Amino acid sequence: MPNMRYLILQRDTKLEFVEMPTDYAYQLSALNLRLNKEIGKLTAHEVPVLPVAVAECDHLELLREQDQIVSGLHYLNELEQAFASIRETEYPLISLLTEIRALQAQMEQWYEEEAI
C-alpha cells in the first residue's frame, strides 16, 4: 500500500480533503498557493473560486458522514477543467494550465504504475 498524505483545503466555510501520494503532496500544496496568488491577476469574468490549502497530514480519519476524501487525480481533473474554461485575454493563463497539467500527468502515470 503506497504512503499517502492528505491536504486539507478550505473553500469559504467548507473543508475539502484531498488524498495524494506522499511524494506529490508538496507539489499540490505549492500549486494551490501559486494559483491563489495568481488568480487575482485574471481579468476574465468567470474565474473559479479556489480553496486555500490550510494543512497537510499523514493520517486522516474523518468523523463526519458528510465529509469525504477525494483522490488527487480527481481534484486535478476538476481544477484543469475549471481553468481550461476561463476566457482570459490579458493574463498568460497557459502558464497556469501548464503547471496544472504537468502535475495531472504525473498523477495519471503514478496511478497507472500503482495499478500494475
Side-chain angles (χ1 to χ4, degrees), residues 5-17:
R5 281 187 66 81
Y6 301 90
L7 278 75
I8 302 170
L9 307 170
Q10 184 174 1
R11 185 185 317 253
D12 295 320
T13 60
K14 182 181 180 223
L15 294 177
E16 299 176 24
F17 306 94

Side-chain angles (χ1 to χ4, degrees), residues 5-103:
R5 281 187 66 81
Y6 301 90
L7 278 75
I8 302 170
L9 307 170
Q10 184 174 1
R11 185 185 317 253
D12 295 320
T13 60
K14 182 181 180 223
L15 294 177
E16 299 176 24
F17 306 94
V18 180
E19 180 181 64
M20 289 289 287
T22 300
D23 295 340
Y24 298 94
Y26 176 78
Q27 287 178 264
L28 182 57
S29 291
L31 177 62
N32 178 270
L33 291 172
R34 173 149 159 67
L35 293 175
N36 274 291
K37 179 181 175 186
E38 298 297 320
I39 201 161
K41 298 176 183 176
L42 299 178
T43 61
H45 295 293
E46 298 296 322
V47 177
V49 176
L50 291 177
V52 176
V54 295
E56 282 185 35
C57 58
D58 289 327
H59 305 284
L60 181 66
E61 184 176 336
L62 298 177
L63 303 176
R64 300 183 306 181
E65 289 182 21
Q66 70 266 27
D67 292 330
Q68 59 183 327
I69 298 171
V70 298
S71 76
L73 182 57
H74 176 80
Y75 178 79
L76 285 164
N77 289 340
E78 288 184 347
L79 190 62
E80 191 275 336
Q81 289 173 359
F83 272 81
S85 68
I86 298 173
R87 301 292 173 233
E88 178 63 41
T89 58
E90 304 296 320
Y91 183 87
L93 184 63
I94 193 69
S95 64
L96 298 179
L97 272 168
T98 300
E99 289 183 47
I100 293 168
R101 290 173 177 158
L103 184 53

